[in-house]
Amino acid sequence: MTELKSKLFWRAVLAELVGMTLFIFLSITAAIGNKHNTHPDQEVKVSLTFGLAIATLAQSLGHISGAHLNPAVTVGMLVSCQISILRAAFYILAQMLGATMASGMVYGIRPGNETALGVNALNRITTVQGVGVEMFATFQLVLCVLAVTDKRRRDVGGSVPLAIGFSVALGHLTAISFTGCGINPARSFGPALISEDFTDHWVYWVGPMCGGVAAALIYDFLLYPKMDDFPERMRVLVSGPSTDYDVNGRDDTPAVEMSSK
């Protein structure tokens, strides 16, 4: 509970709320604003919007909260023992609230003949197939996040936020034709809540969450094991990083850094 006394903690939670609100507003408006949105170029437009929005917000907010902006990413970081259980819970709550607020704003400005509000739906596939599509699309995203933010690496060049943005765009280009691409459960939750349409909604939680957990386990224990600091990682999981314990809030150390090392 010590994290609750830290200004850094609450700033990070606020950053997730603000970031998710902006992300969903920008992304959903791009998805529903085109009256010719059944044309093939719409998938490219939406995919690029989601990817560029994440890249921009990761660059803007990464030093404050890590710019997870996705419950599946947050769960991946939790399984990787890079954040505490408490921080993960507050991040996910902030992300869901931000997505709901943004969806409500989009609802207020949407075109008069648009009723879908960007609610994800399966396209001629079963729910089991949908879970599989969402799981693999999210797996590559969380794997990318873990790899490019790994503090042990010295070979990462270029822009980390842009790399993550490309991964988001890739996931959408892969999955959007099958599921609408719900690799971000909060993105699926906001429009579904405002539209009161939860058809097959569980798919957009089970698939991404399983993908995030699988990516963390495979990366940390098979692909690039990091067992030397296991006791420290367990302490972070329970109590959070020690740098967050200053009640007055230190501004020199982010919770989960979005920069290459």
Side-chain angles (χ1 to χ4, degrees):
M1 292 295 181
T2 311
E3 281 187 301
L4 295 177
K5 301 177 182 179
S6 168
K7 289 183 179 180
L8 275 181
F9 175 83
W10 292 109
R11 289 170 185 164
V13 173
L14 179 60
E16 288 295 306
L17 174 64
V18 172
M20 182 59 81
T21 303
L22 290 171
F23 172 58
I24 297 302
F25 182 85
L26 294 170
S27 303
I28 299 302
T29 49
I32 71 172
N34 179 10
K35 64 180 180 180
H36 302 296
N37 58 15
T38 58
H39 292 191
D41 64 300
Q42 176 72 1
E43 294 186 3
V44 177
K45 171 193 171 184
V46 172
S47 298
L48 289 177
T49 301
F50 273 82
L52 291 174
I54 282 293
T56 301
L57 293 169
Q59 186 71 55
S60 304
L61 302 173
H63 62 296
I64 302 173
S65 69
H68 295 189
L69 305 178
N70 186 334
V73 171
T74 297
V75 168
M77 289 292 187
L78 176 65
V79 173
S80 185
C81 300
Q82 298 189 46
I83 60 174
S84 67
I85 297 173
L86 183 67
R87 183 179 293 265
F90 273 84
Y91 271 23
I92 292 174
L93 288 174
Q95 292 157 3
M96 293 174 66
L97 178 58
T100 302
M101 291 169 53
S103 299
M105 288 187 282
V106 175
Y107 182 84
I109 68 167
R110 76 196 193 289
N113 62 348
E114 177 58 59
T115 59
L117 197 62
V119 176
N120 285 324
L122 302 180
N123 184 20
R124 301 189 305 275
I125 62 174
T126 67
T127 53
V128 174
Q129 291 171 324
V131 168
V133 170
E134 294 297 305
M135 183 176 68
F136 280 103
T138 308
F139 179 92
Q140 63 85 28
L141 168 60
V142 177
L143 183 65
C144 173
V145 172
L146 292 171
V148 299
T149 60
D150 194 327
K151 296 179 180 180
R152 297 170 297 170
R153 296 186 61 182
R154 297 293 182 269
D155 61 327
V156 178
S159 170
V160 168
L162 189 59
I164 296 171
F166 279 142
S167 182
V168 171
L170 176 61
H172 279 76
L173 288 170
T174 300
I176 198 169
S177 297
F178 299 97
T179 62
C181 190
I183 60 176
N184 188 325
R187 172 265 180 270
S188 300
F189 175 79
L193 181 63
I194 298 299
S195 300
E196 298 181 350
D197 182 1
F198 287 93
T199 304
D200 297 325
H201 185 69
W202 65 272
V203 169
Y204 300 101
W205 282 92
V206 173
M209 290 303 195
C210 288
V213 170
L217 292 176
I218 290 175
Y219 182 79
D220 274 2
F221 295 99
L222 295 178
L223 297 178
Y224 200 17
K226 48 180 180 181
M227 300 300 295
D228 293 342
D229 61 344
F230 190 73
E232 171 65 17
R233 292 168 63 203
M234 287 294 99
R235 190 194 61 76
V236 170
L237 184 68
V238 175
S239 304
S242 57
T243 53
D244 274 357
Y245 291 169
D246 186 353
V247 174
N248 293 320
R250 295 174 52 189
D251 296 319
D252 57 343
T253 307
V256 180
E257 299 172 5
M258 273 290 182
S259 58
S260 58
K261 297 293 180 183

